[in-house]
Amino acid sequence: MESATVLSSSFAFTSLASSFSGSPFFRIRTRFPFSSRMKGICASQNAPQVEPTKPKEAKLWGGRFEDGVTDAVERFTESISYDKQLYKHDIMGSKAHATMLAHQGLMSVSDRDRIIEGLDEIERRIENGKFNWRTDREDVHMNIEAALTDIIGEPAKKLHTARSRNDQVLTDFRLWCRDAIDNMITRIKNLQASLVHLSLKNEGLIVPGYTHLQRAQPVLLQHLLLAYVEELERDAGRLADCRARMNFCPLGACALAGTGLPIDRFMTSDALGFTAPLRNSIDAVSDRDFVLEFLSANAITAVHLSRLGEEWVLWASEEFGFITPSDSVSTGSSIMPQKKNPDPMELVRGKSARVIGDLVTLLTLCKGLPHAYNRDLQEDKEPVFDSVKTILGMLEVSAEFSQNITFNQERLQKALPAGHLDATTLADYLVKKAIPFRTSHDIVGRAVALCVSKKCQLQDLSLDELRSISTAFDEDVYEFLGVENAINKFSSYGSTGSACVASELNYWVTKLEIR
């Protein structure tokens, strides 16, 4: 019985490990000692044979070390499995660095040219899928530098003059984040344009506006959709601000103290499109504010997209029935044949959690670290890569969903009478009659109570019934009652009045260059 339990637990762990083996977060392969009986069982299950261990390459940093690291340490500390996507930016940084070294007389022009040619060859191999990424070379930087040495020989060893992996990785990372922000802003603009197109298609459509998820006042659908466009504009603005603060160059700060060699940090900064070099070498290699700000901006964007997803999931339900997603952005049920689910927006709502989690991960990572560089900071990249990938997907599918929904005008029309949505407009009418708002509020409240008892709308009350509550009511009161009249009475800047919304829509059509 005991051995059966052990066997069951072992297979359970194997199954669990197998299910996670594709995840970048599950890189450690744990091995348990097996009894001879267990080895026999495993053999009978046709377990894959382990390839003979290849001789390890000496580390580029291993001059003072007599022994190499163990396999477990190598697996645990490698980052090549995910940071290889920095290759373009690493090569870009290395070209700029080599050019500066040659300009400063720290390397010959011919060595610079051979290094650049070798880096071009490595980039071609990577993009053609012919580059051999090696775990024993730890990360993207060591892989590229070692491969460069294989290709061009001795000149490659001069490339790391006056730089450390500390400033190198941060240069690469800032370049990558900069490109990611540009890509994300483009996706945000695409979603904004999709929402504006949806607004243009639904001119004049009135929907119930909600507070506390209770019907409150009538609003134009265009006004509601443009509220999300405004939120997304702030998201794009936060990213642009983050990009501006991020755009300073760490290269040349070296490990933490800078260098005594005659380098020109302004030259490499300009070559890479940075605003300027970072002023303090310790800050340059230990700062992760730019990543924290980036992930914070992403988290806010994710929350906005989640709110949009929640609204549309609610509106697609039978209880609301305000929108119908097309089949192309819906899924069905494996057991209930009648179901049509707005799954993409449910996942948008759900994936916001992981974007928020990525921010919390990095905040927690940084909160107790002393200056300057600590190996903990290797863990900064996976949350950022995950956050960016997730947000880009959320933005893309939200735009796709918005282009494939129909608003059910008949259902919306039937929903509008409920809730006395014109009550506040009626209170405004009384204010125009010189009645204080608090008094107007009380009068309209009593009028609503009368409607509730009569099971009718405010516009259905006779003038005599209204005047029984307040003599301030006159024939012109009916110009303020009903959702259409209520919409027409909104006139303040930024309100849901037809003229205001038309102006707002024209602003976004022009700003987003929508034809």
Side-chain angles (χ1 to χ4, degrees):
M1 207 46 205
E2 185 176 337
S3 45
T5 302
V6 171
L7 180 59
S8 174
S9 299
S10 173
F11 285 144
F13 178 83
T14 303
S15 175
L16 179 63
S18 175
S19 68
F20 281 102
S21 60
S23 168
F25 296 98
F26 196 85
R27 298 192 301 275
I28 307 167
R29 302 292 186 263
T30 305
R31 293 189 176 93
F32 290 119
F34 289 93
S35 67
S36 56
R37 180 181 177 188
M38 290 299 289
K39 289 179 181 176
I41 292 172
C42 288
S44 68
Q45 297 294 325
N46 297 319
Q49 299 298 310
V50 178
E51 293 183 7
T53 304
K54 295 179 181 178
K56 288 187 178 180
E57 181 179 72
K59 303 290 186 185
L60 296 180
W61 45 258
R64 65 148 288 176
F65 290 82
E66 295 181 5
D67 298 322
V69 299
T70 67
D71 290 343
V73 168
E74 192 158 84
R75 285 194 302 272
F76 189 66
T77 57
E78 66 83 19
S79 60
I80 190 60
S81 57
Y82 55 87
D83 71 11
K84 60 187 176 184
Q85 61 184 289
L86 297 174
Y87 77 90
K88 273 186 175 293
H89 306 92
D90 193 73
I91 290 171
M92 187 189 312
S94 290
K95 287 180 178 179
H97 188 64
T99 301
M100 181 274 294
L101 291 176
H103 183 268
Q104 296 300 107
L106 294 169
M107 136 185 335
S108 69
V109 172
S110 62
D111 283 345
R112 176 203 64 191
D113 292 345
R114 291 185 66 189
I115 286 172
I116 291 175
E117 289 170 6
L119 290 170
D120 285 339
E121 173 60 23
I122 289 170
E123 188 168 7
R124 279 193 293 272
R125 291 182 187 180
I126 292 172
E127 292 180 349
N128 292 331
K130 295 180 179 179
F131 187 82
N132 181 29
W133 296 106
R134 293 177 51 165
T135 303
D136 60 341
R137 289 176 174 174
E138 299 182 24
D139 57 30
V140 62
H141 327 291
M142 303 295 271
N143 264 266
I144 289 174
E145 185 178 339
L148 184 64
T149 304
D150 293 342
I151 294 171
I152 69 170
E154 198 68 18
K157 297 180 181 180
K158 300 179 182 180
L159 179 58
H160 209 56
T161 302
R163 78 174 180 185
S164 161
R165 273 193 295 178
N166 295 354
D167 60 334
Q168 184 182 0
V169 65
L170 273 169
T171 302
D172 296 357
F173 203 19
R174 283 174 183 260
L175 290 170
W176 187 93
C177 289
R178 194 174 71 183
D179 287 351
I181 286 175
D182 292 342
N183 195 7
M184 289 176 65
I185 290 175
T186 299
R187 289 280 176 94
I188 287 173
K189 298 301 180 185
N190 288 341
L191 176 53
Q192 287 179 300
S194 296
L195 292 169
V196 171
H197 277 296
L198 193 58
S199 298
L200 291 168
K201 286 167 56 179
N202 290 279
E203 183 179 0
L205 185 58
I206 301 173
V207 300
Y210 291 83
T211 63
H212 307 278
L213 207 56
Q214 305 295 317
R215 291 178 185 177
Q217 290 180 277
V219 297
L220 288 171
L221 172 64
Q222 293 172 312
H223 195 52
L224 176 60
L225 293 174
L226 293 177
Y228 284 106
V229 176
E230 295 283 351
E231 288 182 349
L232 289 164
E233 184 67 11
R234 291 194 295 275
D235 293 331
R238 267 183 289 272
L239 287 169
D241 291 346
C242 174
R243 189 191 192 282
R245 273 184 289 278
M246 173 189 296
N247 200 39
F248 289 83
C249 187
L251 198 58
C254 299
L256 81 159
T259 179
L261 295 171
I263 63 172
D264 185 346
R265 292 189 61 209
F266 287 88
M267 181 179 177
T268 47
S269 174
D270 290 343
L272 294 169
F274 286 111
T275 304
L278 284 156
R279 285 190 296 267
N280 184 289
S281 61
I282 295 176
D283 178 58
V285 297
S286 59
D287 168 49
R288 292 301 184 278
D289 291 358
F290 73 96
V291 183
L292 293 171
E293 186 176 2
F294 188 15
L295 292 184
S296 177
N298 285 359
I300 295 171
T301 302
V303 168
H304 288 158
L305 296 175
S306 180
R307 294 184 72 182
L308 175 64
E310 169 68 1
E311 192 131 56
W312 282 354
V313 167
L314 282 174
W315 282 25
S317 68
E318 289 292 339
E319 284 71 21
F320 279 79
F322 291 172
I323 65 170
T324 300
S326 73
D327 290 353
S328 61
V329 291
S330 303
T331 62
S333 165
S334 62
I335 189 172
M336 295 170 284
Q338 84 282 9
K339 292 295 295 297
K340 183 176 179 180
N341 302 321
D343 277 13
M345 297 314 292
E346 291 180 56
L347 281 171
V348 165
R349 191 177 59 190
K351 285 180 181 292
S352 64
R354 67 188 294 163
V355 179
I356 295 167
D358 290 328
L359 169 61
V360 173
T361 296
L362 207 65
L363 284 167
T364 308
L365 175 70
C366 293
K367 73 174 183 63
L369 291 183
H371 285 103
Y373 181 77
N374 300 272
R375 190 63 180 267
D376 314 50
L377 291 171
Q378 178 175 296
E379 294 299 305
D380 61 357
K381 292 167 198 65
E382 285 177 296
V384 176
F385 294 158
D386 179 69
S387 177
V388 169
K389 180 181 178 182
T390 304
I391 282 284
L392 288 173
M394 292 168 70
L395 288 165
E396 181 181 30
V397 81
S398 295
E400 191 83 7
F401 197 87
S402 69
Q403 294 164 18
N404 288 278
I405 59 174
T406 303
F407 287 89
N408 302 327
Q409 297 192 29
E410 185 178 348
R411 184 70 174 265
L412 284 165
Q413 196 67 34
K414 289 180 179 178
L416 289 171
H420 309 289
L421 303 183
D422 49 359
T424 305
T425 308
L426 183 58
D428 290 344
Y429 166 84
L430 292 171
V431 169
K432 291 181 178 181
K433 297 285 186 176
I435 296 175
F437 180 78
R438 285 299 173 201
T439 305
S440 301
H441 187 287
D442 180 69
I443 291 169
V444 175
R446 285 186 279 137
V448 170
L450 178 59
C451 287
V452 171
S453 67
K454 291 173 61 68
K455 297 182 179 178
C456 69
Q457 301 302 309
L458 286 167
Q459 63 186 347
D460 298 328
L461 294 176
S462 68
L463 184 58
D464 287 341
E465 287 173 319
L466 288 169
R467 290 181 67 85
S468 70
I469 299 170
S470 172
T471 56
F473 288 116
D474 209 339
E475 288 284 354
D476 60 347
V477 69
Y478 293 103
E479 296 173 10
F480 289 76
L481 295 177
V483 292
E484 290 84 3
N485 285 333
I487 287 288
N488 291 331
K489 295 302 179 183
F490 288 104
S491 58
S492 62
Y493 178 80
S495 72
T496 193
S498 300
C500 298
V501 171
S503 176
E504 184 186 9
L505 191 55
N506 183 63
Y507 169 84
W508 284 111
V509 167
T510 303
K511 184 175 178 63
L512 296 172
E513 300 179 348
I514 295 173
R515 296 181 180 178

